[in-house]
Amino acid sequence: MGKKSRPDEKKILMGSESPSDEKKMIEEPLLGNQKGGFRTMPFILANEAFERVASFGLMPNMIIYLMTEYHVDMATGSNLLFLWSAATNFMPLIGAFMADSSVGRFPMIGFGCIVSLLGMALLWLTTMIPHARPPPCNQTSSICISPTTLQLIFLCSSFGLMSIGAGGIRSSSLAFGADQLEKHNSRKNPRALESYFSWYYVSTTFSILVAMTCIVYLQDNLGWEIGFGVPVVLMFLSAALFFLASPFYIKLKAKSSLLTGMFQVIVASYKNRHLELSLERPDVLYNFRKGSMLVVPTEKLRYGNIIIITMFLDKACIIEDLEQDLTADGRASDPWSLCTVDQVEELKALIKVIPLWSTGIMISASLTQNSFPVLQASSMNRHLTSNFEIPAASFGVFVMISLTLWIALYDRLIIPLASKIAGKPVHLSPKQRMGIGLFFSFTSMVVAAIVESIRRAMAVKEGYSDDPHAVVAMSAFWLVPQHCLSGLAEGFNAVGQNEFYFSEFPRSMSSIASNLIFVGMSVGNLLASFIMSAVNDFTERGGEEGWISSNINKGHYDYYFWVLAGLSLVNVMYFWVCSRAYGPGVGERSSRAWEEGDDQ
């Protein structure tokens, strides 16, 4: 490898001395005028809250709408909803990439608002225009006409637009709000960002609760026209409030995306594949950022004592020829041929967590089985009083209630009490919480299978096998335990995953850390669709009624839940293997160091 020297070689090897463009972008607008601050928070929080109420309010009852108005069977309708959820969870990652690299956060949120509004308006039109959906079933002959291709395209277009819009809003809303406070109120109020994050999650949780109660109630009692029309109005308010405060926002320009940097590492590694590296680490020159603590790549990426990544990626940051590879100011002449050590280590950090990240896919597949509990609840006694009946789709609110209560109790009661009793700080590590969440998802599927077997046996005993609309003499509150266990599973696993990613990744990867869990949810939705289709196809062989029948009393949803329980148990064991192989995380290492120091 070339090692040509020149007078400013030391300057080059210490990295680029270019000024911080990001710092300039943040501080310059603040010096010119007083934009941003807490006065923008009501508009940003309202935008996100109204969007969540509108979008989450459409999901719970959607399986009922598809089965009754579009005459699709249970399996087809559930698959369509799984794909819709997968797209909605994946789009924020694309939105974040575009916002960071080219578009900017304000335009991305604005685009998302308009597209979401358009998608919800199209869905509302399916309730208003008779020809947009199949005609009602013939009550005499029980013949139902299937939807035409054009009708399905119209429906799926609305779903697609809502997914794209949600990706635009959710990818940038949290970070855009932080932009208004960071570098602006941090000196006057150090807890400004912490307060914002707290209110952000409070508004999001409250919005989902409102969506699963009020919007669902409107759909059940006032019809689809009003039930789907109200979300359109809310989405219009969401967009209007966001654009209304446009003159007051701090609008940072887009900068290079972290994902772009990772792709550059892959391309540069391939281009430099001819370079030789050995475990003895010869004396080579590496390109690194000025002021970075990483001046050479880590020797290897380990899982315990097993090397899972060679030094192939390290080739991306090797300086082969100083004059050709670097400019006069120390920058890479071609970022796609020479990267920095930080870029290489960021990609390694992402690859290292992939096995543990993959354990969250199965729990996402289990927790997104939203269509089945709705049909279960609709076939059970849902009366809270003689005059008030809880909507079938509103039972999912118990997931949010148990999740919220657990987080509050854990932070404010359990941890302080346990620490006081032990006489030292006590907490569950992120990996421990992830594992406990996986176990709770397994138990929720077991409980769901048991409750469904009891409900089905009662329906058969009461002679309702051929009547899918019959209501058995069993309280729908039997479904509450499985919803509460699902809430605990999400409260442990989702929070544990977020904390794990943020603690294991460098600060520069915070955008990846915040979106990685949503990518897992997207893959989980696809896995759920695959599992359900495979089970349905396998059990329908020979012309027999499949387990996932549109007639809940003829199908065997309990068997299906047992399949999910078995897969969840396998996932728990897979997590244990990945966790042991990964070794202690950042939080666990610091905790062990504290305990050892205390013992000494």
Side-chain angles (χ1 to χ4, degrees):
M1 289 178 288
K3 294 186 181 179
K4 301 178 181 179
S5 62
R6 51 185 197 177
D8 56 348
E9 177 179 328
K10 183 176 180 181
K11 175 181 177 181
I12 295 175
L13 296 181
M14 290 301 293
S16 172
E17 291 191 346
S18 60
S20 173
D21 295 334
E22 180 180 358
K23 185 176 181 181
K24 279 188 172 182
M25 287 188 294
I26 292 174
E27 291 182 350
E28 284 177 0
L30 294 177
L31 297 174
N33 51 60
Q34 292 298 315
K35 291 188 176 184
F38 276 105
R39 62 177 173 176
T40 62
M41 291 301 103
F43 300 96
I44 296 174
L45 293 177
N47 168 257
E48 179 79 3
F50 281 133
E51 187 274 333
R52 295 272 179 157
V53 173
S55 57
F56 278 87
L58 294 172
M59 178 62 79
N61 261 334
M62 190 57 65
I63 187 62
I64 304 296
Y65 182 68
L66 294 177
M67 294 178 68
T68 56
E69 301 296 328
Y70 279 81
H71 314 146
V72 300
D73 57 44
M74 177 65 183
T76 302
S78 297
N79 267 331
L80 184 57
L81 296 184
F82 282 140
L83 294 176
W84 180 23
S85 296
T88 302
N89 287 320
F90 185 75
M91 283 299 171
L93 183 65
I94 299 178
F97 172 76
M98 295 181 64
D100 288 347
S101 61
S102 59
V103 179
R105 287 169 183 156
F106 176 79
M108 180 56 64
I109 298 174
F111 170 78
C113 290
I114 295 173
V115 175
S116 286
L117 178 60
L118 180 58
M120 291 179 187
L122 288 181
L123 182 62
W124 175 65
L125 288 177
T126 64
T127 69
M128 301 298 294
I129 303 175
H131 294 294
R133 61 186 189 277
C137 296
N138 190 311
Q139 299 296 329
T140 304
S141 59
S142 298
I143 297 177
C144 298
I145 300 176
S146 299
T148 64
T149 302
L150 190 60
Q151 289 169 341
L152 286 177
I153 291 175
F154 193 82
L155 175 68
C156 292
S157 296
S158 68
F159 289 162
L161 289 172
M162 284 188 284
S163 294
I164 295 172
I169 297 173
R170 298 175 193 177
S171 66
S172 304
S173 181
L174 182 63
F176 184 69
D179 290 342
Q180 312 308 309
L181 300 177
E182 195 172 15
K183 305 294 184 181
H184 186 69
N185 285 301
S186 56
R187 295 186 181 89
K188 299 178 182 178
N189 183 4
R191 296 189 69 252
L193 282 177
E194 181 181 348
S195 177
Y196 164 64
F197 287 136
S198 298
W199 280 107
Y200 181 89
Y201 285 110
V202 166
S203 65
T204 298
T205 302
F206 181 74
S207 301
I208 297 174
L209 290 174
V210 171
M212 300 184 72
T213 52
C214 299
I215 303 299
V216 168
Y217 182 84
L218 292 176
Q219 293 167 358
D220 280 6
N221 293 274
L222 299 181
W224 301 115
E225 294 86 352
I226 295 178
F228 285 2
V230 170
V232 176
V233 175
L234 293 175
M235 193 61 235
F236 175 78
L237 291 175
S238 174
L241 288 172
F242 179 75
F243 287 114
L244 186 64
S246 177
F248 307 117
Y249 294 139
I250 295 174
K251 303 170 186 176
L252 302 182
K253 296 181 180 180
K255 55 183 179 180
S256 60
S257 171
L258 181 64
L259 290 177
T260 302
M262 291 185 175
F263 283 122
Q264 288 174 340
V265 172
I266 296 173
V267 173
S269 299
Y270 179 77
K271 286 183 177 180
N272 298 335
R273 64 189 183 279
H274 62 280
L275 300 179
E276 293 185 2
L277 281 176
S278 66
L279 293 177
E280 287 75 20
R281 304 188 60 79
D283 185 19
V284 296
L285 302 179
Y286 294 101
N287 181 38
F288 57 91
R289 296 171 185 164
K290 180 182 178 181
S292 174
M293 298 295 292
L294 293 171
V295 296
V296 295
T298 55
E299 289 190 2
K300 53 193 121 180
L301 187 56
R302 293 175 176 266
Y303 264 71
N305 293 321
I306 303 174
I307 300 174
I308 64 167
I309 280 192
T310 65
M311 296 161 64
F312 177 77
L313 294 177
D314 295 347
K315 298 179 180 181
C317 58
I318 294 178
I319 301 174
E320 188 176 11
D321 190 302
L322 286 172
E323 293 185 352
Q324 292 184 6
D325 294 344
L326 299 178
T327 61
D329 59 356
R331 295 185 181 186
S333 302
D334 180 7
W336 293 92
S337 297
L338 178 64
C339 303
T340 64
V341 175
D342 291 83
Q343 287 178 285
V344 173
E345 294 304 312
E346 286 165 353
L347 181 56
K348 285 183 179 180
L350 178 61
I351 295 174
K352 185 178 180 181
V353 303
I354 285 179
L356 275 173
W357 165 82
S358 66
T359 64
I361 295 175
M362 186 60 218
I363 187 175
S364 297
S366 299
L367 296 181
T368 53
Q369 305 287 329
N370 300 319
S371 302
F372 301 99
V374 173
L375 288 187
Q376 284 179 292
S378 65
S379 67
M380 302 169 76
N381 181 10
R382 294 176 279 113
H383 283 90
L384 189 60
T385 66
S386 57
N387 297 322
F388 180 73
E389 186 178 48
I390 299 177
S394 291
F395 276 84
V397 76
F398 289 104
V399 175
M400 302 305 303
I401 292 175
S402 62
L403 185 154
T404 305
L405 286 177
W406 165 251
I407 292 177
L409 289 174
Y410 178 79
D411 286 338
R412 299 299 180 181
L413 181 62
I414 297 176
I415 290 302
L417 184 60
S419 299
K420 185 177 181 179
I421 294 174
K424 61 182 181 180
V426 174
H427 74 286
L428 293 173
S429 70
K431 286 200 299 178
Q432 288 173 331
R433 273 179 278 172
M434 290 166 64
I436 294 172
L438 295 180
F439 180 76
F440 273 125
S441 75
F442 159 69
T443 57
S444 70
M445 290 296 101
V446 171
V447 172
I450 294 173
V451 171
E452 173 56 20
S453 64
I454 296 173
R455 189 213 63 81
R456 187 181 184 281
M458 189 172 292
V460 173
K461 182 179 179 181
E462 295 175 2
Y464 295 144
S465 297
D466 296 326
D467 187 358
H469 305 293
V471 177
V472 299
M474 181 178 178
S475 174
F477 284 93
W478 277 82
L479 300 174
V480 172
Q482 69 192 58
H483 285 303
C484 289
L485 288 170
S486 295
L488 289 175
E490 187 171 353
F492 274 100
N493 188 267
V495 175
Q497 279 196 69
N498 277 324
E499 184 177 342
F500 178 73
Y501 301 143
F502 273 97
S503 62
E504 295 298 311
F505 288 165
R507 183 176 295 273
S508 60
M509 298 181 67
S510 58
S511 61
I512 296 291
S514 62
N515 283 286
L516 201 56
I517 188 172
F518 295 109
V519 179
M521 292 171 63
S522 178
V523 179
N525 293 138
L526 297 176
L527 177 63
S529 176
F530 171 77
I531 293 172
M532 193 197 65
S533 298
V535 169
N536 190 55
D537 293 342
F538 181 79
T539 56
E540 278 186 342
R541 292 179 178 178
E544 297 182 1
E545 192 76 27
W547 290 356
I548 306 172
S549 171
S550 297
N551 184 342
I552 188 173
N553 297 325
K554 272 193 173 182
H556 268 290
Y557 290 8
D558 51 342
Y559 294 173
Y560 177 63
F561 288 140
W562 281 119
V563 171
L564 293 177
L567 293 174
S568 298
L569 181 59
V570 172
N571 191 48
V572 172
M573 294 185 287
Y574 171 63
F575 171 82
W576 182 82
V577 173
C578 291
S579 180
R580 290 291 299 271
Y582 189 92
V586 173
E588 293 169 296
R589 290 194 292 270
S590 60
S591 177
R592 289 182 183 180
W594 185 91
E595 291 177 358
E596 291 174 0
D598 183 65
D599 292 339
Q600 295 174 359

